[in-house]
């Protein structure tokens, strides 16, 4: 069992005991305690995080712009809520399959090439939205977008694992994951401007083109630490301060991964919570439009406030678990404690159904969405706590596929539910049911993860 070891004076401390993943390729080793001072001037790893942050920002810009154009596209293409649910499902299905594939591919070819392939595919798909003219066409380009975007998180999490020791990974993950929130903050202002000035096609063109600009920066600025020419020796030593010796890590097969409870804990954690975030992404604009008559052709402050809060949640969630580690918690106990706190913070969203005040609803949904991002920063990091670097992208891909599978099924439920209540003249009642589901999902997910990993050594 990892012994608790408090850190002081800006030092990173680790105490490594018998590996819990002997089945996955670790060999048992004797406990070792060591401390290593943080580098004071060498911080190129945060330049890498900045690249991941902007990639994730672009990823969500391309993904979510359709949600802000939904009222316009519904009229132009005569979509029902079920039609829109099918389009979201096309994205989700391709995203799920792509995660499984990209996770394994990135472990095989590396983060630099894997990220490059991913962003080229999704940027082309984003641009193609501007030329389709049928509902089926939207389904096809959304599927291509989902396939390309599925490479983002396996590549980003593996990059963090390569560039950061364990005590900084949750913070780094929280920082880049905050990019998922910048798009939703910008879109309520950017989309109305582009829509009213140049037409809805321009929104897809502008957001799609950003990926190619980022690609130039990625190719010129990124390499793994061991090969990077700009990294100082002091920082390289710090990054590798708690790395597994190469001789003690074997290649981990999918069969071995699925035989380990920690993999299933990650799977259930993603399966039960990712669909809620997708609901927040794809249906919140429509919720405020139908319930509070928010005009989505004008700048939308309520949505900007909600997604600004998620940025705080993402970074704060990563910081909290790192703070617990400094207090002597083992890495997984720190993530687990933080995630329980955030699971409870989502529950108040069920009260949104009882308010007629838009800003009270904004406050409740802001807390839930921020808590999701805080949860996300920690659940991603559990994969790097449990598994060797050679397997991280594969595990992220497996868990991501589970989350996206939930994202395939949940939009169908959402679409049918909202169409039913819309026919009854009370679509808000459908949203109220969805908020109850959202409020309970994280606690259920935490309990599933707890019972699967309660006997772990970490």
């Amino acid at each position: 069992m990892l012994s608790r070891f408090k850190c002081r004076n800006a030092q990173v401390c680790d105490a490594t005991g018998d590996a819990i993943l002997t089945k996955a390729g670790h060999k048992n080793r004797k406990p070792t305690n060591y401390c290593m001072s943080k580098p004071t001037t060498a911080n190129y790893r945060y330049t890498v995080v900045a690249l991941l942050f902007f990639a994730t920002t672009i990823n969500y810009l391309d993904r979510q712009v359709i949600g802000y154009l939904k009222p316009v596209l519904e009229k132009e293409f005569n979509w029902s809520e079920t039609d829109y649910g099918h389009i979201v499902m096309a994205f989700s299905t391709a995203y799920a399959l792509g995660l499984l594939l990209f996770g394994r591919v990135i472990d095989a070819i590396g983060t630099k090439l894997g990220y490059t392939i991913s962003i080229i595919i999704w940027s082309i798909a984003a641009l193609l939205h501007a030329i389709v003219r049928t509902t089926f066409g939207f389904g096809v380009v959304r599927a291509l977008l989902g396939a390309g975007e599925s490479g983002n998180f396996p590549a980003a999490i593996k990059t963090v694992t390569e560039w950061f020791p364990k005590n900084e990974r949750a913070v780094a993950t929280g920082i880049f994951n905050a990019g998922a929130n910048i798009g939703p903050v910008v879109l309520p202002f950017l989309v109305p401007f582009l829509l009213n000035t140049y037409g809805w096609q321009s929104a897809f063109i502008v957001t799609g083109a950003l990926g190619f600009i980022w690609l130039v920066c990625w190719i010129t600025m990124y390499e793994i630490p061991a090969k990077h020419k700009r990294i100082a020796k002091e920082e390289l030593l710090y990054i590798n301060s708690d790395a597994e010796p190469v001789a003690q890590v074997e290649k981990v097969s999918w069969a071995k991964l699925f035989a380990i409870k920690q993999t299933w804990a990650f799977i259930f954690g993603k399966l039960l919570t990712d669909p809620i975030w997708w609901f927040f992404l794809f249906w919140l604009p429509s919720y405020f439009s139908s319930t509070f008559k928010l005009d989505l052709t004008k700048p939308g402050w309520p949505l900007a406030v909600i997604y600004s809060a998620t940025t705080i949640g993402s970074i704060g969630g990563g910081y909290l678990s790192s703070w617990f580690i400094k207090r002597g918690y083992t890495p997984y106990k720190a993530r687990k404690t933080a995630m329980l706190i955030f699971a409870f913070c989502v529950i108040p969203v069920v009260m949104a159904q009882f308010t007629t005040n838009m800003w009270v609803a904004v406050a409740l949904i802001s807390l839930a969405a921020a808590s999701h991002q805080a949860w996300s920063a920690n659940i991603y990091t559990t994969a790097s706590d449990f598994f060797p670097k050679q397997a991280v992208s594969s595990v992220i891909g497996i868990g991501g596929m589970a989350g996206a599978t939930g994202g395939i099924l949940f939009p169908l439920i959402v679409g049918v539910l909202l169409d039913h209540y819309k026919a009854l003249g009370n679509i808000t009642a459908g949203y109220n049911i969805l908020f109850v589901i959202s409020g309970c999902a994280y606690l259920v997910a935490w309990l599933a993860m707890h019972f699967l990993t309660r006997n772990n050594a970490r």
Side-chain angles (χ1 to χ4, degrees), residues 30-43:
K30 295 181 179 180
T32 303
N33 294 337
Y34 56 87
C35 290
M36 185 172 182
S37 298
K38 289 184 179 181
T40 55
T41 58
N43 291 294

Side-chain angles (χ1 to χ4, degrees), residues 239-303:
I239 290 169
N240 293 322
S241 61
D242 59 1
E244 302 91 351
V246 175
Q248 293 181 347
V249 180
E250 303 168 6
K251 186 175 180 180
V252 186
S253 67
W254 266 341
K256 287 183 178 179
L257 291 177
F258 279 109
I260 300 170
K261 287 184 178 180
Q262 291 82 2
T263 304
W264 288 99
F266 188 68
I267 287 172
F268 279 108
K270 296 289 285 179
L271 174 66
L272 295 172
T273 60
D274 275 15
I276 308 304
W277 177 240
W278 290 32
F279 166 63
F280 288 156
L281 286 179
F282 292 121
W283 267 279
L284 276 187
S286 182
Y287 165 72
F288 280 101
S289 176
S290 60
T291 303
F292 297 106
K293 310 305 179 186
L294 184 68
D295 187 354
L296 296 180
T297 64
K298 298 178 180 178
W301 285 105
L303 295 168

Side-chain angles (χ1 to χ4, degrees), residues 176-187:
F176 91 71
N177 193 48
N181 315 316
I182 300 302
V185 173
V186 172
L187 287 175

Side-chain angles (χ1 to χ4, degrees), residues 153 265-275 372 375-376 379-380 396 398-404 406 445 449:
F153 280 96
F266 188 68
I267 287 172
F268 279 108
K270 296 289 285 179
L271 174 66
L272 295 172
T273 60
D274 275 15
H372 168 87
W375 167 282
S376 184
I379 193 172
Y380 275 126
I396 294 295
I398 291 169
M401 180 181 179
M449 296 182 73

Side-chain angles (χ1 to χ4, degrees), residues 29-224:
R29 54 184 182 266
K30 295 181 179 180
T32 303
N33 294 337
Y34 56 87
C35 290
M36 185 172 182
S37 298
K38 289 184 179 181
T40 55
T41 58
N43 291 294
Y44 193 82
R45 64 192 183 281
Y46 284 99
T47 300
V48 173
V49 168
L51 287 171
L52 302 181
F53 170 85
F54 286 113
T56 304
T57 298
I58 295 167
N59 185 283
Y60 272 80
L61 279 170
D62 291 339
R63 179 183 309 193
Q64 201 183 357
V65 67
I66 194 171
Y68 290 87
L69 293 171
K70 179 174 177 278
V72 175
L73 297 174
E74 278 179 335
K75 293 179 180 178
E76 179 148 346
F77 296 99
N78 196 29
W79 291 346
S80 66
E81 291 289 348
T82 302
D83 289 332
Y84 184 67
H86 288 159
I87 291 171
V88 173
M89 187 183 70
F91 173 91
S92 305
T93 303
Y95 190 75
L97 296 174
L99 276 164
L100 194 63
L101 175 63
F102 261 115
R104 206 61 176 171
V105 167
I106 289 169
D107 274 336
I109 67 176
T111 47
K112 186 169 186 176
L113 180 57
Y115 228 144
T116 298
I117 294 171
S118 173
I119 201 162
I120 288 174
I121 294 173
W122 98 54
S123 296
I124 291 173
L127 292 171
L128 290 176
H129 282 67
I131 65 173
V132 295
R133 292 294 180 269
T134 65
T135 302
F136 177 78
F138 266 95
V140 171
V141 295
R142 291 306 287 181
L144 183 61
L145 181 72
E149 289 200 345
S150 65
N152 184 75
F153 280 96
I157 297 296
K158 187 176 180 70
T159 299
V160 167
T161 304
E162 291 172 340
W163 276 87
F164 287 85
K166 288 181 180 179
N167 75 306
E168 287 188 352
R169 287 178 191 169
V171 174
T173 301
I175 292 172
F176 91 71
N177 193 48
N181 315 316
I182 300 302
V185 173
V186 172
L187 287 175
F189 303 95
L190 178 63
V191 171
F193 169 75
L194 293 174
L195 175 64
N196 295 323
T197 306
Y198 303 105
W200 62 263
Q201 294 90 343
S202 63
F204 291 113
I205 293 171
V206 170
T207 55
L210 293 174
F212 293 103
I213 297 173
W214 179 88
L215 186 59
V216 174
C217 299
W218 176 253
I219 292 173
T220 57
M221 297 175 66
Y222 181 78
E223 188 51 86
I224 61 173

